[in-house]
Amino acid sequence: MELFLDTAEVEEVREIASWGILDGVTTNPSLIKKSGRDFKKVIKEIAEICDGPISAEVTAMDAKGMIEEGIELKDALPKNVIIKVPCTPQGLIATKELSSMGIGVNVTLIFNASQALMAAKAGAMYVSPFVGRLDDIGHEGIDLISQIMQIWSGYPEIKTKVLAASIRHPTHVLQCLQLGTHTATMPTNIFRQLMKHPLTDSGIERFLSDWADVEDAGNA
Ligand code: E4P
């Protein structure tokens, strides 16, 4: 089971990577825009901090352009960078070609199980179904994960990993993992929330205060 960070903020990657449990990072053009920084520099810095797969997204919309961009990114960036392409027919062509060249591809913007299946057949390393964006339009995003995992369980020959994306809260992460999702990518605040419980905080407070009493009494 892999936990990825969904961010283009290098300091956030550094923080979560320092916990020792970060398996990879996903970015997208909107996250790069939010960072206000140069795309390749950001990806390079992230890839030097985290040695798991780092997704860098192409912006060409035709297969030829996606393939060229993918190859250029692979050449310019560290080895652990993989190429993210949109789930369109042109994206499938690019996925097939890039995968056959040994380049890892993450097919993104998946909103139904048939898209996931097609991307897997094209040789994707990861397929990224978007849970939260389906919730946003009144669907149950988790149902999509459940459907995909059910299909995957019937076809053990599928080696493509299901990467649950557009995660909005810690419960989404746990639901995805309960369904057997290989990977979940989430923003930094969700990583922090996954490690947070008020009883842990109050428990520490009480232990420290009792220990201070022990020291005051000279019994330490
Ligand atoms: C995944 O790779 C995407 O970058 C991301 O999960 C999208 O999430 P959003 O719907 O919160 O933008």
Side-chain angles (χ1 to χ4, degrees), residues 6 26-28 31 84 108 130 133 165-166 168 185:
D6 195 31
T26 51
T27 66
N28 65 41
L31 292 171
K84 210 174 178 190
T108 190
F130 276 39
R133 290 195 197 184
S166 189
R168 297 284 158 75
T185 189

Side-chain angles (χ1 to χ4, degrees), residues 155-212:
Y155 296 93
E157 66 270 28
I158 302 179
K159 299 296 175 228
T160 303
K161 290 181 179 175
V162 178
L163 195 174
S166 189
I167 296 284
R168 297 284 158 75
H169 46 74
T171 309
H172 268 161
V173 180
L174 299 181
Q175 287 172 317
C176 288
L177 298 178
Q178 278 175 318
L179 289 165
T181 312
H182 308 89
T183 314
T185 189
M186 68 205 87
T188 308
N189 66 316
I190 294 181
F191 260 100
R192 293 189 189 121
Q193 285 171 38
L194 285 171
M195 273 308 291
K196 191 95 188 135
H197 198 286
L199 289 178
T200 304
D201 296 340
S202 60
I204 289 171
E205 212 173 294
R206 195 185 313 164
F207 285 155
L208 290 180
S209 140
D210 287 343
W211 190 248

Side-chain angles (χ1 to χ4, degrees), residues 31-187:
L31 292 171
I32 298 290
K33 176 183 168 186
K34 200 166 144 218
S35 77
R37 299 195 54 218
D38 176 76
F39 174 40
K40 284 184 191 154
K41 271 192 195 146
V42 168
I43 300 289
K44 187 170 179 290
E45 287 174 27
I46 291 175
E48 279 162 1
I49 298 168
C50 174
D51 57 13
I54 311 300
S55 291
E57 190 159 344
V58 297
T59 49
M61 285 299 117
D62 63 301
K64 188 172 171 286
M66 289 182 205
I67 294 163
E68 281 168 6
E69 253 186 77
I71 293 171
E72 198 223 311
L73 288 170
K74 277 302 286 180
D75 286 348
L77 294 167
K79 278 192 173 20
N80 53 329
V81 170
I82 64 170
I83 306 302
K84 210 174 178 190
V85 309
C87 193
T88 60
Q90 292 295 303
L92 281 191
I93 298 169
T95 299
K96 180 111 195 173
E97 180 66 19
L98 290 168
S99 301
S100 73
M101 296 167 68
I103 296 176
V105 178
N106 172 4
V107 179
T108 190
L109 289 166
I110 287 182
F111 293 95
N112 65 41
S114 54
Q115 288 178 310
L117 193 56
M118 303 286 259
K121 277 189 72 67
M125 177 184 276
Y126 289 96
V127 288
S128 292
F130 276 39
V131 178
R133 290 195 197 184
L134 280 170
D135 289 355
D136 292 346
I137 60 160
H139 291 258
E140 278 289 346
I142 285 298
D143 289 350
L144 171 58
I145 301 292
S146 167
Q147 203 183 1
I148 294 173
M149 295 318 298
Q150 196 186 343
I151 294 170
W152 256 233
S153 71
Y155 296 93
E157 66 270 28
I158 302 179
K159 299 296 175 228
T160 303
K161 290 181 179 175
V162 178
L163 195 174
S166 189
I167 296 284
R168 297 284 158 75
H169 46 74
T171 309
H172 268 161
V173 180
L174 299 181
Q175 287 172 317
C176 288
L177 298 178
Q178 278 175 318
L179 289 165
T181 312
H182 308 89
T183 314
T185 189
M186 68 205 87

